């Protein structure tokens, strides 16, 4: 992508970024020249997308096949009451463009599957797994590993959440830790603010990766218990040599 100089308006908009030694003008230009894909415009994708748009991520992709339902609004803050029965991707696009006109939003109204995921992720620098089912999480992991695409996984239920980041050759993938999808259980309740915490942390992982700053959640998993107001950072086992996706001898 071509470099761009910040305008006077951008210097003001991103001034609190620019004054940080770890970001500065050069870092802000990196954000503006970056492309991030969010799969799932729900409880996790909502805060993640909104913070990434506010941060000045130049291109944000949103993939989701669903429409906005009344029960979504308790946690999916990118949508409003007037968006009921609208496509989530279109509602999300309008919200993000309202936050920041610097951002180009690409929408993909689709069920992400093995037939389309490689085309979907290929033009993005970083992927956020904001889905709510195990089948999709394993699909995203496997495709990103094979395509050597960094991504951050997250999950949230009730008062609890977790996330981990995969960067090629820098730690285990999701399938190293969770060998196969468990049987799907009945739908569980969820506190919206817990999803907000985890989705915001996903956005932070994307920003850190793009800027090349800090420590990513590679090789570990971060868990959050909202009832106890407690975070735990758990070191994960090294990459599993016989992992069917990233293990030794796997042809990608």
């Amino acid at each position: 992508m071509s470099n761009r100089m910040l305008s006077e308006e951008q210097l003001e908009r991103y001034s609190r970024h620019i004054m940080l030694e770890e970001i500065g003008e050069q870092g802000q230009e990196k954000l503006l020249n970056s492309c991030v894909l969010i799969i799932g415009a729900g409880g996790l994708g909502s805060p993640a997308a909104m913070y990434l748009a506010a941060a000045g991520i130049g291109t944000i992709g949103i993939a989701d096949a669903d429409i906005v339902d009344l029960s979504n609004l308790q946690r999916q803050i990118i949508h409003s009451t007037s968006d009921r029965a609208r496509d989530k991707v279109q509602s999300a696009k309008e919200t993000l463009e309202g936050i920041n006109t610097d951002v180009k939003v690409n929408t993909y109204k689709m069920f992400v599957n093995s037939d389309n995921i490689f085309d979907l992720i290929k033009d993005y620098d970083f992927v956020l797994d904001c889905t709510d089912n195990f089948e999709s999480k394993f699909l995203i992991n496997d495709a990103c590993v094979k395509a050597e695409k960094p991504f951050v996984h997250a999950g949230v239920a009730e008062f609890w959440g977790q996330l981990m980041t995969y960067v090629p050759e820098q730690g285990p993938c999701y399938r190293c830790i969770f060998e196969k999808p468990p049987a799907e259980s009945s739908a569980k309740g969820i506190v919206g603010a817990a999803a907000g915490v985890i989705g915001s942390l996903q956005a932070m992982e994307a920003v850190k990766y793009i800027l090349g700053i800090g420590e990513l959640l590679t090789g570990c998993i971060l868990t959050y218990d909202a009832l106890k107001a407690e975070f735990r950072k758990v070191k994960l086992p090294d990459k599993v040599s016989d992992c069917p996706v990233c293990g030794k001898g796997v042809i990608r």
Side-chain angles (χ1 to χ4, degrees):
M1 303 176 202
S2 61
N3 292 326
R4 59 201 263 191
M5 298 295 292
L6 299 182
S7 67
E8 289 300 317
E9 183 175 314
Q10 288 172 327
L11 288 171
E12 181 177 356
R13 176 185 285 272
Y14 306 116
S15 60
R16 295 305 189 273
H17 273 177
I18 292 168
M19 67 175 59
L20 293 170
E21 181 181 349
E22 295 85 351
I23 302 180
E25 288 189 46
Q26 185 176 10
Q28 189 59 53
E29 289 173 2
K30 285 183 180 180
L31 296 175
L32 287 163
N33 285 319
S34 66
C35 300
V36 174
L37 175 66
I38 300 169
I39 304 179
L44 293 169
S46 290
M50 293 167 75
Y51 271 114
L52 291 175
I57 298 298
T59 301
I60 296 176
I62 303 281
D64 199 304
D66 290 339
I67 62 172
V68 179
D69 181 83
L70 184 61
S71 66
N72 299 150
L73 302 180
Q74 161 260 7
R75 65 199 178 282
Q76 299 182 16
I77 57 173
I78 205 166
H79 314 296
S80 64
T81 302
S82 61
D83 291 318
R84 290 174 63 186
R86 297 184 66 208
D87 292 339
K88 284 187 178 180
V89 292
Q90 191 58 37
S91 169
K93 176 183 173 72
E94 292 179 7
T95 299
L96 299 183
E97 290 175 341
I99 291 171
N100 192 348
T101 55
D102 284 343
V103 178
K104 177 185 177 184
V105 182
N106 298 326
T107 60
Y108 308 94
K109 179 177 167 53
M110 62 170 67
F111 289 104
V112 178
N113 56 41
S114 58
D115 294 326
N116 58 33
I117 190 167
F118 288 100
D119 280 339
L120 183 63
I121 68 176
K122 65 183 176 63
D123 294 326
Y124 289 90
D125 303 314
F126 195 85
V127 177
L128 276 67
D129 168 14
C130 297
T131 60
D132 62 0
N133 65 86
F134 290 110
E135 183 179 355
S136 294
K137 294 185 181 304
F138 278 87
L139 173 71
I140 293 167
N141 174 82
D142 296 357
C144 285
V145 171
K146 291 176 182 177
E148 299 186 331
K149 190 74 64 174
F151 78 100
V152 58
H153 146 81
V156 64
E158 299 177 349
F159 300 88
W160 179 88
Q162 67 178 32
L163 70 159
M164 63 176 281
T165 297
Y166 170 82
V167 176
E169 306 304 326
Q170 291 188 26
C173 75
Y174 185 73
R175 198 178 283 273
C176 287
I177 311 306
F178 308 100
E179 294 182 6
K180 59 183 179 180
E184 293 284 358
S185 59
S186 57
K188 295 182 178 179
I190 180 173
V191 174
V197 170
I198 301 300
S200 298
L201 289 170
Q202 285 186 282
M204 191 68 247
E205 289 293 284
V207 168
K208 288 191 298 181
Y209 174 80
I210 292 163
L211 294 175
I213 62 173
E215 295 182 7
L216 294 169
L217 290 169
T218 52
C220 60
I221 191 164
L222 184 70
T223 65
Y224 172 58
D225 184 333
L227 288 178
K228 295 181 179 179
E230 181 176 88
F231 285 96
R232 290 185 64 221
K233 189 176 179 181
V234 180
K235 187 178 185 331
L236 297 173
D238 293 336
K239 184 165 67 172
V240 176
S241 60
D242 61 351
C243 173
V245 180
C246 73
K248 293 180 180 178
V250 175
I251 299 175
R252 292 193 287 277

